[in-house]
Amino acid sequence: MSNGHLNSGSVGIVATKQAQLSLPPGGLKLENGGILPQIQVAYETYGCQSKDGHNAVYICHALTGDAHVAGFHSKEDTKPGWWDAMIGPGKGIDTDRFYVICANILGGCMGTTGPSSINPHTGKPYGSTFPSITIGDIVTVQQLLLRQIGINRLAAVVGGSLGGMQVLEWSIRFPQIVDKCVCIASGMNLSAQALAFDIVGRNAITADPAWSNGDYYENEQKPAQGLSQARMIGHITYLSSENMKRKFGREKKELQEPLPRFSTPFQVESYLDHQGSKFVNRFDANSYLHITEAMDVFDLTEKVHEPSEAFQAVSPRTRFLVIALSSDWLFPPEQSLQLASSLVRAGKKVSYCLLRSPYGHDAFLVEIDHLAEVVRSFLESPDTPVSSAETPTHDRSSSSDLLHSDGKKHQITSDYTLITRRIQSKSRVLDLGCGDGKLLCELFARKKMIGLGMDIDLANIISVIRKGLDVFQCDLDAGLSSIPDNAYDYAILSETLQVVRKPRELLNEMLRVARTGLVIFPNFGNWRYRLSLGVNGKMPVSDSLPFDWYDTPNIHLTTLRDIRVLCAMDHIRIIEEICLPRGFPDNTFIKIGWRNLGADRVLIVITRDK
């Protein structure tokens, strides 16, 4: 065995298996009316199935993928499976923990029945007689395969691009089978721009005289030129402008002889020619036509009034992870965010994150580190959030003496306890700037709430996902647009108001998406800050504002009085004020009514003034 096969995390030598599916009498009827009398499926498996059979993870491949997703086919094999960096012992999809299955899709040309397969009625390749297929047909065949090999439940379905569309179809078509869905760089349909590239690619194939209306298998000439052009067109959409510039720019190759007329010496042309030629040697033109057509017509929004209605059939226990890639223009991030928002509107459990990468759509295949970490955190997270009951409660800031508006002194307690006391059991909670998710865990443990966190930091997103909670990665100044009106009972903004760029808009957005808001903020009107500024003439630094003016995330410094005025302007009613003094003489100030002077931090509970 070569050293490459012995690398840590490799599944080693694997073999592609073949399954002849058990079909209903007369064959499998397809969604568009065609019938396939026989279906063979090529698939590979990795890891071991658990005794309860609940650790199976199905991988849905993209347009030109195959069943060989990890490992090597022989000792001499130098090319691993197409997602080998993700799948294996200790990797993003850990085969020490999960039983992983991947199959070539229906209509493919890598061992599963497709246009190049033999039609049992004629003894010749299907060619032009191969019936039209849909993503639904592809997923139905996958389910038939899994049932035949003894898998009746899936811990997860995972896929990117076309594979992500299959994941969504799985969640709708077989909702009781799937526990988790990971949809990467995909969407509910293709954009008009993406459709255009597919259309041009298919035209390149069908315009090739060697295509012969799809019946070219017994001909000497194959539609290699058309398929090569289709691949070049498609490949452009997989790369980003930044990546193209980095790899090629306007670099030229050294010429040994004159070029044909209208050919260029640019490196990017040589690269695309190479991609096209390589593709012709491993893929079938008819398969390309059928699969891209299935991808184009897939549209979960077509038969519903509102996109969220497409997910009505999804099981309430199914959890989704939607991952977008920042430089992807085949499935741009806004499509992934629309998908995640639609799932929220449908009342489903969903997390969303945006991974930064210069590699475009192909980043999920070529840049794996952060992706593997996010996927692993999601797949290995508990079905219900981890309780923090056994973990000491931590503040997002220091604990303080508390005084309610009635002036009664209370024991030292944390911000989390303050907030938790004001949340009714089994409420819907949106935590803005949720950090690592400790507050959401506290609320779940003590109040059995249904919650969603929002944060911009990827490390926090991963931490929240790992705890079994739902979270959106977003900038709060723009992020609430993905949340529907009145979706939550409470929106929480703890120690975050001062760091957002548009606090006024955010407060109003909080009360659009929730009936009650809870906001904790440092009070710059405290006497210590006033005294420090008055005596020293310098911006103060304290426990609640622990930054020098030139190195601070705090964009806005406000006072309790400022907040009262702002709320009155926007018809926001403060239903409770809880001042958090730092100590003597702050308590004295608060007792005699100088709350703005005495409060170091403030918790306000707000609602829309009717």
Side-chain angles (χ1 to χ4, degrees):
M1 185 177 290
S2 71
N3 290 336
H5 301 159
L6 294 174
N7 288 341
S8 175
S10 173
V11 297
I13 304 297
V14 297
T16 304
K17 306 170 187 176
Q18 298 287 341
Q20 193 72 31
L21 296 187
S22 298
L23 301 178
L28 180 66
K29 186 174 182 180
L30 304 176
E31 285 193 307
N32 289 333
I35 296 176
L36 286 172
Q38 296 177 3
I39 298 178
Q40 177 178 277
V41 179
Y43 70 101
E44 292 187 7
T45 63
Y46 320 93
C48 297
Q49 191 171 5
S50 61
K51 291 182 179 179
D52 62 9
H54 293 170
N55 72 328
V57 174
Y58 188 83
I59 309 297
C60 302
H61 71 69
L63 172 58
T64 62
D66 55 27
H68 184 44
V69 68
F72 299 84
H73 278 157
S74 70
K75 294 180 181 180
E76 294 74 29
D77 193 0
T78 59
K79 184 179 179 181
W82 55 267
W83 222 13
D84 187 74
M86 176 67 80
I87 296 169
K91 294 184 180 179
I93 302 175
D94 188 354
T95 51
D96 285 338
R97 180 167 185 152
F98 296 108
Y99 181 53
V100 180
I101 310 100
C102 183
N104 186 214
I105 63 173
L106 178 68
C109 53
M110 306 290 187
T112 294
T113 296
S116 60
S117 301
I118 299 299
N119 183 340
H121 294 321
T122 65
K124 296 180 179 181
Y126 277 100
S128 62
T129 65
F130 191 77
S132 172
I133 59 172
T134 65
I135 302 297
D137 295 325
I138 290 171
V139 169
T140 294
V141 168
Q142 292 167 354
Q143 189 269 338
L144 291 173
L145 168 69
L146 293 178
R147 187 176 65 184
Q148 190 161 310
I149 64 176
I151 297 173
N152 297 308
R153 179 175 172 182
L154 290 170
V157 183
V158 182
S161 192
L162 171 63
M165 290 178 163
Q166 295 167 53
V167 168
L168 298 178
E169 186 70 22
W170 261 103
S171 73
I172 296 167
R173 187 167 290 245
F174 301 108
Q176 300 307 317
I177 295 178
V178 183
D179 291 344
K180 295 177 180 176
C181 294
V182 181
C183 183
I184 307 167
S186 193
M188 302 173 73
N189 51 29
L190 279 181
S191 68
Q193 185 178 41
L195 287 172
F197 278 101
D198 277 353
I199 291 167
V200 174
R202 285 197 297 273
N203 284 344
I205 293 174
T206 57
D208 188 328
W211 180 61
S212 298
N213 293 319
D215 295 317
Y216 53 81
Y217 295 105
E218 297 179 344
N219 299 344
E220 183 177 347
Q221 293 293 322
K222 305 295 190 293
Q225 183 64 33
L227 180 58
S228 176
Q229 290 176 355
R231 177 59 169 179
M232 287 191 284
I233 292 165
H235 197 77
I236 293 170
T237 69
Y238 306 152
L239 306 175
S240 69
S241 176
E242 180 182 350
N243 193 26
M244 294 275 274
K245 181 178 179 181
R246 178 186 300 180
K247 291 181 69 155
F248 312 110
R250 293 183 59 84
E251 293 295 323
K252 297 179 180 180
K253 60 187 177 182
E254 294 184 7
L255 299 179
Q256 304 299 325
E257 56 186 39
L259 290 170
R261 184 73 174 100
F262 301 120
S263 290
T264 72
F266 294 114
Q267 292 282 8
V268 66
E269 181 173 342
S270 297
Y271 171 78
L272 292 174
D273 284 341
H274 171 71
Q275 292 296 326
S277 299
K278 185 173 67 172
F279 188 63
V280 167
N281 294 327
R282 72 176 184 88
F283 214 79
D284 175 56
N286 279 335
S287 284
Y288 195 91
L289 294 173
H290 279 275
I291 296 170
T292 56
E293 181 185 48
M295 190 175 185
D296 288 1
V297 299
F298 179 81
D299 187 359
L300 294 181
T301 69
E302 186 175 29
K303 297 180 180 179
V304 294
H305 295 293
E306 204 275 329
S308 63
E309 296 175 7
F311 300 105
Q312 288 181 346
V314 172
S315 170
R317 66 176 175 80
T318 299
R319 293 178 59 206
F320 289 82
L321 172 62
V322 177
I323 300 175
L325 305 173
S326 62
S327 57
D328 186 353
W329 58 283
L330 181 60
F331 284 100
E334 52 264 30
Q335 274 194 276
S336 293
L337 183 58
Q338 180 197 28
L339 166 61
S341 300
S342 296
L343 286 162
V344 168
R345 292 172 185 272
K348 308 305 176 184
K349 301 174 182 178
V350 56
S351 292
Y352 164 81
C353 72
L354 173 63
L355 298 184
R356 300 289 171 183
S357 172
Y359 294 104
H361 184 66
D362 264 358
F364 76 96
L365 299 174
V366 300
E367 188 183 47
I368 217 76
D369 291 345
H370 288 312
L371 176 62
E373 188 177 7
V374 173
V375 170
R376 180 168 185 166
S377 297
F378 180 71
L379 294 182
E380 298 184 4
S381 64
D383 293 333
T384 55
V386 174
S387 170
S388 59
E390 298 178 2
T391 305
T393 301
H394 299 288
D395 273 333
R396 299 183 191 195
S397 57
S398 59
S399 299
S400 305
D401 288 342
L402 306 181
L403 285 176
H404 283 280
S405 54
D406 61 5
K408 293 183 179 179
K409 186 175 181 179
H410 287 257
Q411 63 182 8
I412 294 177
T413 185
S414 70
D415 289 0
Y416 287 2
T417 302
L418 272 175
I419 292 170
T420 302
R421 287 175 179 171
R422 284 156 181 82
I423 302 293
Q424 294 183 4
S425 295
K426 300 181 180 180
S427 297
R428 301 164 298 166
V429 177
L430 180 65
D431 188 7
L432 305 174
C434 64
D436 62 5
K438 288 190 177 73
L439 175 57
L440 285 172
C441 281
E442 188 80 5
L443 290 170
F444 183 85
R446 298 179 182 275
K447 298 292 186 173
K448 306 302 178 187
M449 62 86 201
I450 299 170
L452 176 70
M454 283 189 161
D455 206 279
I456 197 168
D457 184 72
L458 181 59
N460 284 337
I461 297 299
I462 292 172
S463 180
V464 175
I465 289 173
R466 188 176 289 125
K467 291 178 174 70
L469 297 158
D470 299 326
V471 63
F472 268 39
Q473 184 181 18
C474 64
D475 183 344
L476 292 182
D477 286 315
L480 296 198
S481 59
S482 61
I483 306 299
D485 295 354
N486 301 313
Y488 294 91
D489 299 306
Y490 301 93
I492 300 169
L493 190 68
S494 178
E495 300 292 349
T496 307
L497 185 66
Q498 68 274 15
V499 304
V500 298
R501 294 189 178 279
K502 301 175 182 178
R504 181 178 185 179
E505 287 84 345
L506 185 56
L507 288 176
N508 280 281
E509 277 288 274
M510 286 177 67
L511 294 181
R512 176 185 65 80
V513 303
R515 58 179 175 83
T516 303
L518 290 86
V519 184
I520 296 179
F521 60 92
N523 175 40
F524 202 68
N526 182 270
W527 71 273
R528 296 176 191 273
Y529 303 145
R530 299 191 198 189
L531 181 63
S532 176
L533 186 59
V535 173
N536 299 322
K538 296 172 62 179
M539 292 296 291
V541 176
S542 70
D543 290 341
S544 59
L545 292 166
F547 304 99
D548 288 306
W549 68 269
Y550 53 82
D551 187 28
T552 176
N554 298 319
I555 302 171
H556 305 281
L557 297 177
T558 187
T559 71
L560 173 57
R561 185 174 179 181
D562 285 330
I563 293 295
R564 288 172 178 167
V565 172
L566 178 62
C567 288
M569 288 171 53
D570 288 347
H571 305 287
I572 295 173
R573 181 161 54 95
I574 299 176
I575 55 180
E576 189 176 15
E577 271 182 15
I578 303 136
C579 292
L580 311 171
R582 185 175 170 186
F584 183 82
D586 303 77
N587 296 356
T588 303
F589 287 129
I590 293 173
K591 285 179 179 178
I592 62 176
W594 293 350
R595 302 169 63 78
N596 193 29
L597 196 63
D600 183 62
R601 292 177 302 123
V602 179
L603 165 62
I604 59 170
V605 182
I606 58 176
T607 190
R608 181 64 65 192
D609 198 8
K610 296 180 181 180

